[in-house]
Amino acid sequence: MSVIGEESVRGVMFKDINADEDEAQPTEIESLCMNCYENGMTRLLMTKIPFFREIIISSFTCSHCHWTNTEIQSAGRIQEQGVSYTLHIKTKEDMNREVVKTDSATVRIPELDFEIPAFTQKGSLSTLEGLFDRAVAGLEQDQPKRRTTDPKVADKIDQFIQRLKNLKDVQEEFTLIIDDPSGNSFIENPFAPQKDQALSVSYYKRTAEQNTALGIEESEPEQEEENDNDPESMRNEVLVFNTNCPECNAPASTNMKLVQIPHFKEVIIMATNCDSCGHRTNEVKSGGATEELGTKITLHLTDPSDMSRDLLKSETCSVEIPELEFELGMAVLGGKFTTLEGLLKDIKEQIVMKNPFICGDSAVSDTSEKLKLFGKKIDKIMSGEMDVHIILDDPAGNSYLQNVYAPDPDPELKIEKYVRTFEHNEDLGLNDMKTEGYSTEN
């Protein structure tokens, strides 16, 4: 079956959770009751949880002994990584969050030193309040027998049950952790797709014991080690690390990826996106060392299609447009991997749109008019109405402009290599850098 065909079939089988009966009709199957061994009825519903995945909900009811049982099963495969949800519960509304707990998940409440081990309960789809009710019901199940055989233990369990009920009523703040090696458990984020400040989600690589418990055959150690050291796998991997937003200082995540630019070298692209204030930044670092020679790239713009050329501007690269008598110093826009059109848009935004001297009380009429005229000229360059030259001068030799005729020479592109001056090396911090013949002696 094709991928498109398989997705369409899954779309027909798995419906979104909906109160409309026409949208979500369960399948009824007559089955044996394990309590009285008479025939009861099992209802199966295949549905989708928003921002999660497909699940199968089963509910059994026996009309003879009135025994009932409900459980869920994941309709997808075991995920590549395990998942751990940590929820800090502060209000009663948090107890209304929907929870998917598979039979392989472990539930912990650190404040009570309470744990529901994996494979001791069937999978369930409920709310956090329902999760607590189920735990209380399990503890109360054998209490009458304990009060007869061991009253002291029964009293301690009664006290613990009362503490669970107090937490269910959120009489104090506490933390709930659901750790599932299969990666198929879930806690609802009521603010989705925005970030939930009270909920943190982390993914991890399963241990050999966890793979064995899930019935997964472990890969050969030599093969895993070989893959970990494979440079190609590193190029395809996006690394994520925690950082702070440069605007609002809220916790954020930075993505980093190694990219090979054709006919050039490897670069490191870093992107940060803040869910709190929406601030976005991207930055490009050279993946190699400082070149022995500086590089000067000159492009004569003759056609609007030149705007789509890929461009890498390092932090040490300056930009010049002689026809406009314009020069942008190094480090003003930082490192960028974009197109020529993207670079010109960034220049216009930096010089014209974000310039404090053309708006508000600081505005000077002559300066404002000159900058607005400069912005119009940038627009003409991007539309191909002006014939200009773009010069990228990088003393570190780590900048790049795409040759659309590669591997043949580009008639409109000129690349010059030059020996750096003392001033260039001083700006790059190379004059005081000594890598040979140094000694640690005073």
Side-chain angles (χ1 to χ4, degrees):
M1 183 183 293
S2 66
V3 174
I4 298 178
E6 183 178 353
E7 290 297 326
S8 62
V9 171
R10 294 179 71 89
V12 173
M13 294 176 61
F14 295 91
K15 299 291 186 181
D16 292 327
I17 295 178
N18 198 316
D20 189 353
E21 292 185 358
D22 294 334
E23 290 292 331
Q25 279 287 355
T27 301
E28 297 185 348
I29 303 173
E30 189 175 1
S31 53
L32 181 67
C33 174
M34 302 308 295
N35 188 47
C36 67
Y37 300 103
E38 297 287 345
N39 283 340
M41 187 65 67
T42 297
R43 292 174 175 83
L44 299 176
L45 177 63
M46 293 178 285
T47 186
K48 293 186 292 184
I49 297 179
F51 305 103
F52 189 49
R53 56 177 63 92
E54 299 95 346
I55 61 171
I56 300 174
I57 304 175
S58 64
S59 174
F60 176 82
T61 304
C62 179
S63 59
H64 300 278
C65 66
H66 305 290
W67 186 69
T68 61
N69 182 36
T70 60
E71 64 177 278
I72 72 153
Q73 293 180 356
S74 173
R77 60 182 178 85
I78 295 176
Q79 304 304 307
E80 294 182 0
Q81 293 180 310
V83 64
S84 178
Y85 290 87
T86 302
L87 176 63
H88 189 60
I89 299 174
K90 299 180 180 180
T91 63
K92 184 68 174 176
E93 286 73 19
D94 287 329
M95 302 302 292
N96 296 326
R97 294 173 184 248
E98 289 188 351
V99 177
V100 175
K101 176 193 170 298
T102 67
D103 51 3
S104 61
T106 300
V107 180
R108 293 196 300 272
I109 303 176
E111 288 81 357
L112 288 185
D113 197 17
F114 173 69
E115 177 176 317
I116 302 176
F119 303 105
T120 58
Q121 289 182 348
K122 293 290 186 180
S124 63
L125 169 63
S126 64
T127 61
L128 283 176
E129 185 174 5
L131 193 68
F132 273 72
D133 288 338
R134 192 176 183 187
V136 169
L139 291 172
E140 289 179 339
Q141 183 176 1
D142 295 327
Q143 278 297 85
K145 187 183 299 184
R146 291 193 192 98
R147 290 190 181 96
T148 304
T149 58
D150 198 338
K152 291 184 179 180
V153 174
D155 289 340
K156 291 182 179 179
I157 293 179
D158 283 335
Q159 294 174 10
F160 188 83
I161 290 173
Q162 187 57 46
R163 293 185 64 187
L164 274 179
K165 290 180 178 179
N166 292 340
L167 289 187
K168 189 185 76 169
D169 295 332
V170 196
Q171 296 183 7
E172 60 180 285
E173 296 182 7
F174 65 97
T175 304
L176 179 77
I177 302 173
I178 296 183
D179 190 318
D180 186 2
S182 73
N184 288 323
S185 289
F186 170 75
I187 295 181
E188 178 192 8
N189 173 8
F191 307 102
Q194 297 178 350
K195 187 175 181 179
D196 188 345
Q197 299 297 333
L199 179 66
S200 63
V201 185
S202 60
Y203 299 89
Y204 59 87
K205 185 177 180 180
R206 284 185 292 269
T207 63
E209 292 79 8
Q210 289 171 331
N211 281 331
T212 302
L214 294 172
I216 303 175
E217 184 178 355
E218 190 177 1
S219 303
E220 292 295 331
E222 293 88 2
Q223 184 178 358
E224 289 185 0
E225 184 177 355
E226 181 181 351
N227 291 336
D228 290 340
N229 296 328
D230 184 10
E232 190 63 33
S233 64
M234 287 291 293
R235 292 190 184 96
N236 296 330
E237 183 179 1
V238 178
L239 302 178
V240 182
F241 54 92
N242 297 326
T243 183
N244 284 34
C245 173
E247 289 291 325
C248 66
N249 204 36
S253 297
T254 296
N255 298 330
M256 183 173 69
K257 191 176 190 303
L258 190 66
V259 177
Q260 174 68 47
I261 298 180
H263 308 290
F264 189 52
K265 60 172 68 173
E266 287 183 335
V267 297
I268 300 172
I269 299 179
M270 305 172 68
T272 303
N273 185 14
C274 179
D275 294 329
S276 299
C277 67
H279 180 70
R280 294 183 178 182
T281 62
N282 61 77
E283 192 175 358
V284 176
K285 301 285 187 182
S286 173
T290 301
E291 298 292 325
E292 295 183 2
L293 299 174
T295 302
K296 185 176 182 180
I297 305 172
T298 303
L299 175 65
H300 184 203
L301 298 179
T302 58
D303 192 88
S305 62
D306 288 330
M307 292 294 106
S308 61
R309 290 178 185 246
D310 289 334
L311 178 145
L312 172 65
K313 176 195 171 300
S314 75
E315 291 180 328
T316 58
C317 178
S318 61
V319 182
E320 184 179 354
I321 307 177
E323 289 79 2
L324 300 186
E325 297 183 354
F326 169 76
E327 182 175 355
L328 186 72
M330 63 173 65
V332 175
L333 292 177
K336 286 187 175 294
F337 182 45
T338 178
T339 61
L340 191 55
E341 182 179 14
L343 178 66
L344 292 174
K345 285 182 177 179
D346 289 339
I347 291 175
K348 179 182 176 182
E349 183 178 5
Q350 185 75 22
I351 303 300
V352 181
M353 300 176 65
K354 291 186 176 181
N355 196 320
F357 296 104
I358 67 171
C359 59
D361 297 336
S362 301
V364 179
S365 58
D366 292 343
T367 304
S368 177
E369 289 299 323
K370 289 180 181 179
L371 291 177
K372 288 181 179 178
L373 180 61
F374 175 81
K376 292 179 181 178
K377 290 181 179 179
I378 293 292
D379 290 335
K380 289 183 178 181
I381 294 175
M382 290 189 289
S383 62
E385 299 177 21
M386 283 191 69
D387 188 0
V388 299
H389 292 78
I390 302 290
I391 301 175
L392 304 177
D393 191 347
D394 187 0
N398 287 326
S399 293
Y400 161 83
L401 186 60
Q402 181 185 12
N403 174 7
V404 294
Y405 297 93
D408 297 328
D410 188 333
E412 307 299 336
L413 184 66
K414 181 180 179 182
I415 301 178
E416 303 173 75
K417 298 288 185 179
Y418 62 88
V419 178
R420 285 187 293 269
T421 64
F422 179 87
E423 289 75 15
H424 286 149
N425 287 331
E426 187 70 17
D427 291 337
L428 297 175
L430 299 178
N431 289 332
D432 299 325
M433 187 181 296
K434 190 173 184 181
T435 60
E436 295 179 358
Y438 63 89
S439 174
T440 57
E441 296 178 0
N442 293 331

